[in-house]
Amino acid sequence: MKKILLGFSALLVLGVGFFSGTAPDFAYRILPGYVPDPDRLWDEDPFVKSEATPGEIPARTVLQRHQAQVDTGGDQGSASEKVILFGDTHVHTTNSIDAFLYSLPMLQGGQGAFPPSYACDYARYVAQLDFYFLSDHAESVTPQQCSNAIDSVQECNALAGDNPDLFAFMGFEWTQVGKTAEEHYGHHNVLYKDEQRSKLPARPIAAKKEGSRWGAKLPTGLQRLDPRHKDYYASFNKIIDTVAALSPCAEGIPSPQLPSDCFEAVKTPGELYSKLDEWGLDTIVIPHGSAWGNYTPPNANWSHQLNADNVDADKGRLIEVYSGHGNSEQYASFNAREFDENGKPYCPAPTREYLPACWQAGEIIRKRCAAAGETDATCEARAVEARGFYAAEPTQNGFVTVPGTEAEDWLDAGQARGMFLPAFSYRPKKSVQYGLALRNFDDQDKPLSYQWGFIASSDTHSSRAGHGFKQKGRLNSTEANGVRSPVWEGIIMPEPEAPAARARPVESVDINALKLRASDIERTSSYLSVGGLAAVHAEDRSRDGIWQAMKRKETYATSGHKMLLWFDYLSAEGNAVVPMGGKVQTVANPSFKVKAVGSFKQLPGCPDYVKDTLEAKRLLKMSLGECYNPSDERYAIDRIEVVRIRPQDYEGEPVENLIENTWLVHQCDPGQTICELSFSDPEFAEGNRDAVYYVRAIEEPIDMINAANLRTTFDEEGNAVATRPCYGDYRTDMADECLAKAGHRAWSSPIFVAFDAGLESKPDQATAPGEM
């Protein structure tokens, strides 16, 4: 069976047992040409504060970058002339314990420590970003690591100079996971504007959960099997012990009055917002990975947290629509399971758009039953039973109801079809579009809704901020990973279960005994891609300019390329008066203008100044010697798509018809690197309801990592018949980058148009994004 060691800290949650065995082969296959220190492959101590590389980015390079992001838009007649800046709002280092896990020598992608200093070097020299935010998991960061991260941000800002080529920011991730849909709120990044310790909280705030704070330690047997790296394995356990030893913060005491080294945790977004309010700091909180089924229970829905207790319109201005863990933008009408009139879950039938995993569980059992010589009636009954067992499970563990399966047995069950780089095990009612369509009518005069602006990020777990510029080095640039050798496979994974011709309920399974087999992680690497970028329309190239653009929601997301995008609401005279992220009140049919510019095609390798500045070994470890290295040629814009969403007008209004994913499609002239579109909504005034509009600009197709996901084969009726997954373990063909054609894209923040009958005899009322 193919294995990958991915999924949200599955090894940590489940633990591994003690063992004995033979030391594995540590051929360093992931970095061809990299010859490490023969005495110590993992030669950086994760507890020793690492320094970023001194050096200046040539002033000419910074100027050219600035001009390319300003002058191109100088004639578009936008609502204001601003500079577009690109950054990454979601950067994990090996201060995050799951990132540390992925760095271990026993893993195919394990390359040792990637401390915060690497994020600075990667952002400055490799990805050539304008800004980044550190966002390590609050649940696993020690007080010393937190202090070191602040030092790193300050060091990076100092190295960027008086006319900064980069702005580094602090943040953390609140990593909440609910066992059931009703308990689930999801992951949120908490971002801060300032770098000074006096303007940052004393500690990050974790998500409260049952049991240990971050799972199990590694067994000491690993150090005996691999004595060359014994100190590195011991460091992992030391972090687990350090976090576990932190005293819980006392409840009922304002956060600023608590000791700096206690462990602070809250259960809900509302409690998180309240704690942040106690510090009185300017803060942005960004949900991310919302539709990612790896940690999101079936039937999860934005509606249960859309209430006054858990919505903060000031802090919750933005949402991450895309990262290297997949796209959470699009709504689809499928469900992993349905409920009858009595509230009992059942398995829905498959369609051309979706194969429910519960249904495939029944088909696996049916096939085995037939092979065992049972009658058709018996096999049908067992298939129905298997579907029922799977559908009854409210967590992500439904697949353990079928013993002894291979990844290929499941085909593409549970996955979204026909989407651009969708998140694994997609949860459509946690998609961004679904959230924008919902309203809470507890206050009939002022219904509550989400009014997010859009960003994207890398969600890197190796300090590789903004790593989506090239489709190379899949096991370096994505989070795909797996065991390094068959020996490690035998150590980490228990013996596979024998296939059975009958399913079983989840409650009859010893999840702990299954260890890594208790998580549906074997298909995950087919849904991991290079990361996205956050783009801001800033008043100027400054720290405050970046922050205020995010506060105004004058932002957009890209899938990794530095595309340029403008989206504006037009006045009756045809002038651009409200940019993306803004709000308008009107009774007239609204008009808009879009302009998109393709990103620069990339040259191989890195610019000379990068190779001259960075140590060759460091550059190879970080990026295989590949950097953002723009040519003078841009990609063509293939098309512009307009999305229209009409938020609910009354409680319980069905959402399916309110989301128009491709309400308007404009095909750009072939080969054009600049594409413009002006359009109006002729139905708005007659519809007498609010509407939300945003655009997607899509570049010409290129080869992209995992653009075909599981590489599913379908028959003439549209049924999945086979898959060819991309794995990350030792069996991986290093030459297979799992490429397929797709177009990089940029998603604008929406413009929110409110229908206000009281304005029939008055001009339109535009609201600046920051005043919403």
Side-chain angles (χ1 to χ4, degrees):
M1 178 185 283
K2 305 276 189 178
K3 287 96 179 172
I4 66 165
L5 192 59
L6 251 293
F8 186 73
S9 37
L11 179 60
L12 298 174
V13 172
L14 299 171
V16 294
F18 289 88
F19 50 80
S20 61
T22 306
D25 174 15
F26 281 101
Y28 203 72
R29 301 169 61 208
I30 191 169
L31 297 183
Y34 177 31
V35 182
D37 181 342
D39 296 322
R40 184 173 174 80
L41 181 59
W42 273 244
D43 50 3
E44 291 179 288
D45 189 327
F47 288 104
V48 174
K49 184 165 61 176
S50 174
E51 295 182 355
T53 303
E56 293 185 3
I57 309 296
R60 180 182 177 185
T61 299
V62 178
L63 179 62
Q64 288 175 337
R65 184 195 308 171
H66 178 83
Q67 289 176 338
Q69 294 165 197
V70 175
D71 291 351
T72 308
D75 62 350
Q76 92 287 356
S78 183
S80 57
E81 301 302 325
K82 300 183 176 78
V83 59
I84 294 175
L85 302 176
F86 293 99
D88 193 342
T89 58
H90 194 170
V91 179
H92 292 279
T93 74
T94 41
N95 283 353
S96 288
I97 199 65
D98 56 342
F100 197 162
L101 170 68
Y102 305 154
S103 78
L104 292 174
M106 63 186 177
L107 300 186
Q108 184 75 350
Q111 299 173 52
F114 283 84
S117 61
Y118 273 61
C120 178
D121 280 359
Y122 198 96
R124 287 190 77 205
Y125 297 109
V126 178
Q128 298 166 41
L129 300 180
D130 300 301
F131 64 94
Y132 74 93
F133 288 78
L134 291 182
S135 60
D136 281 308
H137 293 290
E139 291 75 14
S140 66
V141 174
T142 69
Q144 186 59 56
Q145 287 175 323
C146 187
S147 179
N148 290 350
I150 296 171
D151 289 344
S152 171
V153 163
Q154 293 174 345
E155 176 194 38
C156 194
N157 286 322
L159 290 173
D162 295 332
N163 185 22
D165 53 67
L166 178 71
F167 299 90
F169 294 79
M170 272 300 296
F172 68 85
E173 178 174 328
W174 184 72
T175 313
Q176 195 274 346
V177 179
K179 289 184 178 180
T180 65
E182 294 74 24
E183 300 170 340
H184 183 78
Y185 299 99
H187 299 184
H188 295 63
N189 282 334
V190 179
L191 309 182
Y192 298 103
K193 175 185 175 184
D194 297 302
E195 62 169 353
Q196 300 91 336
R197 291 178 186 273
S198 61
K199 296 182 179 180
L200 291 170
R203 73 199 73 76
I205 302 170
K208 187 177 290 186
K209 68 170 192 172
E210 298 177 6
S212 62
R213 288 170 182 163
W214 200 277
K217 295 194 297 182
L218 298 173
T220 55
L222 285 174
Q223 299 170 46
R224 296 194 300 271
L225 283 173
D226 183 15
R228 185 155 57 120
H229 306 112
K230 62 183 177 63
D231 292 341
Y232 199 79
Y233 289 112
S235 296
F236 181 93
N237 286 349
K238 182 178 178 180
I239 291 176
I240 295 284
D241 286 338
T242 302
V243 174
L246 296 175
S247 299
C249 294
E251 297 186 4
I253 299 175
S255 191
Q257 298 176 22
L258 293 167
S260 61
D261 60 352
C262 64
F263 185 86
E264 190 168 16
V266 296
K267 288 184 176 181
T268 68
E271 293 175 5
L272 175 65
Y273 296 142
S274 295
K275 283 291 184 182
L276 295 173
D277 283 339
E278 291 173 357
W279 286 96
L281 302 172
D282 198 0
T283 311
I284 296 175
V285 179
I286 304 177
H288 67 265
S290 57
W292 197 26
N294 261 31
Y295 77 96
T296 304
N299 301 105
N301 192 318
W302 283 110
S303 60
H304 91 95
Q305 64 192 84
L306 179 57
N307 53 59
D309 291 337
N310 289 302
V311 173
D312 186 319
D314 179 60
K315 295 181 181 64
R317 294 168 179 262
L318 301 173
I319 191 167
E320 182 184 289
V321 299
Y322 173 85
S323 78
H325 292 165
N327 178 4
S328 291
E329 175 214 3
Q330 190 175 331
Y331 173 70
S333 58
F334 62 75
N335 286 308
R337 58 181 188 161
E338 301 280 5
F339 294 86
D340 64 20
E341 62 275 10
N342 298 315
K344 181 180 178 180
Y346 69 91
C347 186
T351 67
R352 278 184 171 267
E353 289 73 37
Y354 185 67
L355 171 60
C358 54
W359 191 273
Q360 185 60 14
E363 296 310 295
I364 295 170
I365 291 297
R366 184 196 305 276
K367 183 176 180 180
R368 291 177 179 177
C369 178
E374 301 289 351
T375 66
D376 289 348
T378 296
C379 294
E380 170 63 17
R382 290 187 183 181
V384 170
E385 178 185 58
R387 294 197 292 265
F389 284 154
Y390 196 118
E393 176 56 28
T395 74
Q396 304 92 313
N397 294 328
F399 73 100
V400 303
T401 58
V402 183
T405 58
E406 302 280 344
E408 291 84 352
D409 293 335
W410 293 98
L411 300 174
D412 69 339
Q415 309 308 319
R417 295 173 179 171
M419 288 189 190
F420 172 77
L421 296 174
F424 182 72
S425 287
Y426 202 80
R427 308 301 191 209
K429 291 185 179 178
K430 287 288 287 185
S431 67
V432 174
Q433 290 182 348
Y434 191 82
L436 288 171
L438 292 180
R439 278 181 169 165
N440 178 312
F441 292 90
D442 289 347
D443 183 344
Q444 293 288 336
D445 295 328
K446 193 175 181 181
L448 185 64
S449 64
Y450 293 115
Q451 297 197 350
W452 298 306
F454 293 172
I455 54 94
S457 79
S458 68
D459 197 357
T460 176
H461 281 63
S462 55
S463 297
R464 295 180 173 106
H467 58 34
F469 47 85
K470 290 178 180 175
Q471 302 290 318
K472 291 184 177 182
R474 180 174 67 93
L475 294 187
N476 183 276
S477 58
T478 78
E479 301 298 310
N481 210 335
V483 289
R484 187 178 290 279
S485 75
V487 174
W488 283 120
E489 179 177 73
I491 292 167
I492 296 170
M493 309 288 285
E495 286 298 315
E497 294 184 284
R502 191 162 187 176
R504 61 198 174 177
V506 171
E507 55 266 25
S508 70
V509 181
D510 184 349
I511 299 293
N512 291 328
L514 289 177
K515 301 177 183 178
L516 284 178
R517 298 191 195 282
S519 295
D520 186 9
I521 62 174
E522 296 178 313
R523 299 179 293 163
T524 308
S525 67
S526 293
Y527 289 80
L528 299 172
S529 55
V530 298
L533 291 173
V536 302
H537 286 267
E539 296 281 1
D540 54 36
R541 186 183 176 82
S542 68
R543 188 178 201 83
D544 188 64
I546 294 165
W547 187 259
Q548 294 306 324
M550 293 172 68
K551 295 283 283 188
R552 292 194 306 272
K553 298 185 281 194
E554 203 169 343
T555 62
Y556 63 93
T558 88
S559 55
H561 279 190
K562 294 181 180 179
M563 301 171 65
L564 306 181
L565 182 65
W566 294 263
F567 176 45
D568 296 288
Y569 172 83
L570 303 179
S571 68
E573 295 73 32
N575 299 317
V577 292
V578 177
M580 62 178 75
K583 184 175 180 179
V584 177
Q585 292 176 283
T586 185
V587 292
N589 290 333
S591 296
F592 306 89
K593 183 176 182 180
V594 188
K595 180 176 181 179
V597 181
S599 63
F600 286 114
K601 296 182 179 181
Q602 296 294 300
L603 300 172
C606 297
D608 288 341
Y609 76 86
V610 175
K611 293 183 286 187
D612 292 341
T613 304
L614 284 179
E615 180 189 11
K617 175 182 173 181
R618 192 175 179 106
L619 178 59
L620 195 58
K621 176 181 176 180
M622 287 195 299
S623 69
L624 303 180
E626 292 291 346
C627 300
Y628 179 76
N629 194 9
S631 68
D632 295 329
E633 184 181 2
R634 290 182 181 271
Y635 286 106
I637 300 295
D638 179 74
R639 64 192 184 276
I640 294 172
E641 298 176 345
V642 182
V643 179
R644 183 176 73 170
I645 299 173
R646 292 173 293 176
Q648 290 174 313
D649 244 2
Y650 58 87
E651 187 171 357
E653 183 178 14
V655 167
E656 284 73 13
N657 296 327
L658 303 180
I659 300 170
E660 298 166 281
N661 183 57
T662 50
W663 176 67
L664 177 65
V665 178
H666 172 71
Q667 200 67 42
C668 304
D669 292 336
Q672 295 299 304
T673 61
I674 300 176
C675 186
E676 299 183 76
L677 168 68
S678 295
F679 68 94
S680 298
D681 182 356
E683 302 170 331
F684 177 81
E686 183 179 351
N688 192 29
R689 63 186 300 158
D690 300 347
V692 177
Y693 306 86
Y694 69 89
V695 300
R696 290 185 293 254
I698 301 169
E699 287 184 336
E700 61 182 282
I702 64 169
D703 284 332
M704 294 185 69
I705 293 172
N706 278 334
N709 298 128
L710 288 164
R711 299 185 283 194
T712 306
T713 301
F714 297 90
D715 64 18
E716 293 181 356
E717 285 73 41
N719 301 308
V721 294
T723 58
R724 191 163 57 93
C726 275
Y727 294 103
D729 67 4
Y730 66 92
R731 298 178 181 88
T732 298
D733 179 358
M734 294 297 179
D736 185 5
E737 296 280 32
C738 303
L739 300 174
K741 295 292 185 183
H744 269 281
R745 59 200 59 202
W747 297 262
S748 77
S749 283
I751 294 177
F752 302 87
V753 183
F755 185 89
D756 191 338
L759 295 175
E760 290 194 24
S761 60
K762 303 176 184 178
D764 295 351
Q765 301 293 308
T767 304
E771 299 173 358
M772 293 172 60

